[in-house]
Amino acid sequence: MSVPSGDAERFLTMGGKRSFELRDLVDAGAYVVDDRGRIMQVNPRAEQLLRRGAEELLGRDAHDMLHRGERGQPLPRSRCEMRVPLLTGGSAQGAEQWLERGDGTLMRISWLVTPCRGDADSPTTALVIFHEAGSDTTELWQPSPVHEPMSERDRLALLAETTTTLTSSLDVDETLRQLVRLVVPLLADWVVIDLFTEEGSVSRAVVVHFENGTLTHRAELEEPLPPLVRESPMPLARALRGVAAALVGPEDYEGRPDSAVTAVQQHLMEVTGIRSACIAPIRGVREVVGAVTLGRSERTEPFTTDDMLLTEDIARRAGLALDNARLYERQRRVAETMQRHLLPQLPTVPGLEMRACYVPAPDASQVGGDWYDAFVMSDGTAGLVIGDVVGHDLDAAAGMAQVCNMLRAYAGELEEPPSMVLDRLDQAVARMAEPTMATVVFARVEHANGGWQLRWTNAGHPPPLLVESDGRALFLEAASGLLLGTGHRLPREDAVVPLAPGSTVLFYTDGLIESPSHALDDGLDRLSTHAADLIGQPLTAFCDRFLASVRPADNDDDVALLVLRVPG
């Protein structure tokens, strides 16, 4: 091929001239894939060669949709040379590879894959350029090809890929999607996954059929299963009890079913037309997680004992991955529940409006120490708190609970200014058994000259934002000091600002403004701009729309927001 095999940026920019676009390639087919192998861009020549439109190609996994062996059989990912550059970040080219066209024929190609610069959503992408190696090399790929038995090398490659792929995610749904992709259509036309729920019942979580080159979910077959009959000798019941895998055919489900579960499985065999199936238990570390059923309807050859042993190995690896994912999600729920229960109900203070929001982190490991608090103190003034304990785990959530409760106690004990309250709290945090550091803003809303004023101090936290009724916005950056728990005692200060009728004060945590792809100043600017634009909204609508518009899309932290408004 005449295309250079170096860095793709040289090819796309053509020596500093105008940006080269995929559509400018008139002879070669070309498409761009993201770091997960999904097609992001495609040129018209590729559409012609592949006999597939862009709407059919975009967003699809290029390997699953296109890459085939010379007899039309699906390729294990570990045996596909075109995927190597995606893993190594380098360039590669080859003189032979088979792609499946939209009409079922195979096309032999010569190809080049080279990395190129992506965007914020997918910073690592690859450019794939290919030529047809010769029109006389195409042959029709029948929907029901004869599949040769997998070699021992292919089986080991599939098991290695299964381990790597399934352990890369701690999300149950993503693990199930990857499991389906690994076994269909390489081993079967159908895959059915039944899982035990937290309550001990069984749910048919996944039913997928590979037809016409695509995976089709059969949602009408995905439903809770009837209660298990422990004494049933039928294959699915045995698998769900953890008994070894079994080979199954329609003949096993002839006659009157011995239980409601068997009746469901009998219906599945009839609806799907499965001629041969393999059912294996999915075992976790301590217990059976569920069962997987692989079925063949279009493929004529039945499952063999070797296929059953391979399926059992895959199911064992899937069980460990699902077990870890469920433990991870359980930890997330515990942490979220703990944190939500610690967040208070806001008090009713005549002459003031208050609203609060809390959004957990999308990642269980990021559940942590953001909190807000509001309470009425002994002198009738309102106390407002926003804080963030350093860390993102259960220890941070536990530390947050202690700091929050101690702050309430100190604030309610004596009528002291906020700076003295935080100074007491800082000394107490230093004496905690587990080292804890936290940022906090503590404020009092006080009566003054017939109106209201805000008195606050800040221990290393992002500054509150004051927005007047006319949209003017001001960050309250005064009275800033060290965060709590450093061990250094420096004087803390208080600051006071009047609150005119119609004004709004926003207390927030850093998850609302920080982003890996933008500077902190950008986040602060976005926050003040949107707050000013929404200032005329009722407070409930203000909080919802503000949070939706300001929180960065790539944020992976939890967010707490406390909003105070003096009615106009």
Side-chain angles (χ1 to χ4, degrees):
M1 295 182 65
S2 60
V3 177
S5 60
D7 184 67
E9 188 175 350
R10 288 189 290 123
F11 176 66
L12 294 175
T13 59
M14 299 297 287
K17 298 180 181 180
R18 69 178 180 84
S19 177
F20 191 91
E21 297 185 7
L22 291 186
R23 64 172 178 265
D24 294 330
L25 283 170
V26 295
D27 181 54
Y31 58 86
V32 175
V33 296
D34 64 13
D35 53 3
R36 296 176 61 184
R38 297 171 301 188
I39 299 174
M40 302 170 61
Q41 299 178 52
V42 61
N43 77 332
R45 182 57 176 158
E47 295 180 73
Q48 295 170 3
L49 291 173
L50 296 172
R51 299 174 188 172
R52 301 175 187 267
E55 67 281 356
E56 184 181 359
L57 293 164
L58 296 177
R60 299 291 296 277
D61 187 296
H63 176 84
D64 290 347
M65 188 177 203
L66 303 176
H67 301 175
R68 298 291 180 264
E70 60 179 340
R71 297 188 180 183
Q73 74 274 20
L75 286 175
R77 289 177 175 251
S78 55
R79 299 292 300 278
C80 181
E81 293 181 359
M82 292 182 71
R83 293 194 71 253
V84 173
L86 297 180
L87 303 176
T88 63
S91 299
Q93 58 186 7
E96 186 168 314
Q97 172 75 33
W98 295 87
L99 300 184
E100 183 195 342
R101 289 167 159 162
D103 59 5
T105 59
L106 296 177
M107 176 176 62
R108 191 172 67 185
I109 63 166
S110 57
W111 54 272
L112 178 142
V113 180
T114 187
C116 55
R117 186 169 53 197
D119 53 25
D121 294 330
S122 184
T124 304
T125 62
L127 171 66
V128 181
I129 304 173
F130 62 94
H131 283 282
E132 188 174 6
S135 58
D136 58 338
T137 61
T138 61
E139 59 184 61
L140 185 65
W141 177 43
Q142 300 297 331
S144 300
V146 175
H147 288 71
E148 295 182 354
M150 293 181 67
S151 67
E152 185 63 25
R153 179 183 176 186
D154 286 342
R155 291 173 183 272
L156 292 175
L158 177 59
L159 288 176
E161 183 178 353
T162 299
T163 301
T164 302
T165 301
L166 296 187
T167 55
S168 65
S169 173
L170 289 173
D171 178 81
V172 170
D173 292 337
E174 178 63 21
T175 301
L176 294 178
R177 283 193 294 271
Q178 294 295 343
L179 175 59
V180 169
R181 183 188 60 74
L182 286 164
V183 299
V184 178
L186 186 62
L187 298 178
D189 312 311
W190 290 86
V191 59
V192 181
I193 302 174
D194 303 311
L195 295 178
F196 281 101
T197 66
E198 295 284 350
E199 295 75 26
S201 60
V202 180
S203 178
R204 181 143 286 172
V206 173
V207 180
V208 172
H209 182 206
F210 181 79
E211 54 182 343
N212 300 323
T214 62
L215 297 176
T216 303
H217 274 270
R218 296 292 296 271
E220 75 277 9
L221 299 174
E222 298 174 353
E223 58 184 358
L225 294 185
L228 284 175
V229 176
R230 292 290 176 180
E231 301 78 24
S232 173
M234 298 304 290
L236 179 59
R238 286 166 56 85
L240 290 170
R241 293 200 301 268
V243 182
L247 299 178
V248 179
E251 64 277 4
D252 293 291
Y253 288 94
E254 294 175 350
R256 184 175 180 179
D258 68 340
S259 66
V261 171
T262 302
V264 171
Q265 197 74 345
Q266 188 179 55
H267 175 68
L268 176 73
M269 301 290 283
E270 293 172 354
V271 170
T272 61
I274 290 176
R275 299 189 182 99
S276 176
C278 180
I279 302 178
I282 303 176
R283 297 186 182 91
V285 177
R286 293 172 296 277
E287 58 190 1
V288 177
V289 177
V292 59
T293 300
L294 302 185
R296 293 175 178 175
S297 57
E298 282 79 11
R299 295 168 60 166
T300 56
E301 69 277 14
F303 281 99
T304 65
T305 301
D306 286 342
D307 294 328
M308 181 182 68
L309 295 175
L310 177 62
T311 302
E312 196 169 33
D313 275 342
I314 291 172
R316 185 179 301 112
R317 287 161 169 77
L320 296 176
L322 287 170
D323 211 18
N324 288 337
R326 283 185 161 182
L327 288 171
Y328 190 74
E329 290 189 355
R330 192 174 297 128
Q331 174 185 346
R332 175 186 175 84
R333 288 197 300 272
V334 168
E336 269 189 39
T337 301
M338 171 184 172
Q339 193 162 19
R340 287 188 181 279
H341 284 179
L342 290 170
L343 296 175
Q345 295 291 323
L346 298 181
T348 299
V349 179
L352 295 175
E353 296 180 34
M354 282 184 275
R355 293 290 184 276
C357 301
Y358 173 74
V359 180
D363 188 340
S365 66
Q366 297 297 310
V367 173
D370 289 22
W371 92 93
Y372 63 82
D373 199 1
F375 46 86
V376 178
M377 293 185 286
S378 58
D379 59 356
T381 60
L384 303 176
V385 181
I386 193 79
D388 185 0
V389 170
V390 175
H392 298 91
D393 51 24
L394 285 173
D395 289 338
M400 175 270 286
Q402 296 181 69
V403 175
C404 176
N405 289 331
M406 286 191 296
L407 177 53
R408 267 204 174 210
Y410 287 134
E413 180 182 1
L414 298 170
E415 298 177 9
E416 295 178 329
S419 59
M420 294 186 65
V421 172
L422 284 197
D423 187 60
R424 289 173 176 267
L425 180 62
D426 195 7
Q427 297 177 55
V429 167
R431 297 192 296 268
M432 290 173 59
E434 292 293 330
T436 300
M437 300 177 72
T439 66
V440 182
V441 173
F442 175 44
R444 294 167 55 107
V445 188
E446 306 167 339
H447 288 286
N449 302 320
W452 298 95
Q453 68 179 18
L454 185 75
R455 185 185 303 273
W456 80 95
T457 190
N458 187 336
H461 199 81
L465 177 66
L466 171 63
V467 186
E468 303 287 356
S469 58
D470 59 3
R472 288 180 297 171
L474 172 68
F475 284 105
L476 304 180
E477 297 179 308
S480 295
L482 282 177
L483 72 164
L484 306 181
T486 63
H488 300 285
R489 291 195 60 190
L490 297 176
R492 298 187 182 277
E493 299 177 350
D494 295 288
V496 179
V497 65
L499 300 178
S503 58
T504 301
V505 184
L506 287 77
F507 303 86
Y508 54 91
T509 55
D510 56 10
L512 194 59
I513 56 173
E514 290 186 346
S515 165
S517 58
H518 296 91
L520 182 60
D521 287 344
D522 294 336
L524 292 170
D525 290 342
R526 186 173 61 250
L527 183 139
S528 61
T529 299
H530 283 282
D533 291 343
L534 296 170
I535 195 62
Q537 298 287 330
L539 202 55
T540 299
F542 174 90
C543 291
D544 294 340
R545 296 177 184 177
F546 178 76
L547 192 61
S549 59
V550 175
R551 189 185 189 199
D554 55 355
N555 170 273
D556 62 354
D557 200 356
D558 47 352
V559 174
L561 175 67
L562 176 62
V563 182
L564 168 75
R565 176 172 289 176
V566 178

